[in-house]
Amino acid sequence: MAGLAESGSNPDVDLLYDINGLAKDAPPWFDRIMGYVGEYGLLLAMVLLVVWCWWGVRRRGGEDAASSVAALVWAPLAAGVAVLVNVPIRGFVERPRPFKDHQGLEVLVSGKNDFSFVSDHATITMALAVALFVANRKFGIVGIGIALLEGFCRVYMGVHYPTDVVGGLALGTAVALLLSPVAMALLTPVMRAIERSPRAGWLIAAKGARADALRRDGVMPGARSEASGAAAASEERDLAA
């Protein structure tokens, strides 16, 4: 893979110079913003997007609330698994960062001395976005847009080749989709158990949404306790007789 970076006629290198060249032409204040956005901002935006989606799910409630929250819980787990999968990939490929093999790049962040393929940032954001898409398509489409923007930023910043980004996007997508059935099978029963919990049920559905769900199912709040009281009274009468 290191050979991909050796020739300036390589389309991967040409595209790197084209995109990173935009950083050279941009004012310094804009490059500082792009460096912060590409390093921290878009990751934070993805986390906030997942939290926003969870907040909407719990307010809405409904029969699918537990499965939707399970999919949202899978999102950060998928990102973590994807990063772990990337560890041996990086060690096997051992591709240096582009600024180590090519002169004249505008590098917007320092301290990037690890290997380049594949991009962790692209992997994490795409894994979050695809898992979010499983839970909610509207939020997922926004998340995929953020992941693509993250990939562009990493090349703009001069710390990754375009193929590093493409590999990260593919890895994040593969982990989030391929392991999603197993994750949902394991997480959904856990979320349903939490939903039934008097103390932790608010994590799955808001109090009002849970009450509405009970009404739709034909069970009024408090009906269980009344039924239990009636059963206890009947038992006492039988004992007295």
Side-chain angles (χ1 to χ4, degrees), residues 154-224:
R154 302 307 288 177
V155 181
Y156 181 96
M157 294 160 62
V159 294
H160 281 293
Y161 294 97
T163 48
D164 297 337
V165 169
V166 173
L169 298 177
L171 177 59
T173 299
V175 170
L177 283 182
L178 294 179
L179 298 182
S180 178
V182 176
M184 293 297 293
L186 295 174
L187 291 172
T188 300
V190 176
M191 296 304 111
R192 285 177 179 160
I194 294 175
E195 185 179 23
R196 293 191 295 268
S197 170
R199 293 184 178 181
W202 64 272
L203 291 169
I204 311 300
K207 187 175 181 180
R210 295 173 70 192
D212 291 341
L214 289 173
R215 291 190 186 97
R216 285 195 300 268
D217 293 339
V219 180
M220 295 298 295
R224 181 178 296 180

Side-chain angles (χ1 to χ4, degrees), residues 16 20-21 32 52 68 74 87 98 103 112-113 115 136 139 158 165 173 222 238:
L16 165 67
N20 183 253
R32 285 194 294 270
W52 185 8
S68 295
W74 168 236
V87 171
Q103 302 296 321
K112 299 293 182 181
N113 296 316
F115 294 122
N136 185 293
F139 281 88
V165 169
T173 299
D238 291 342

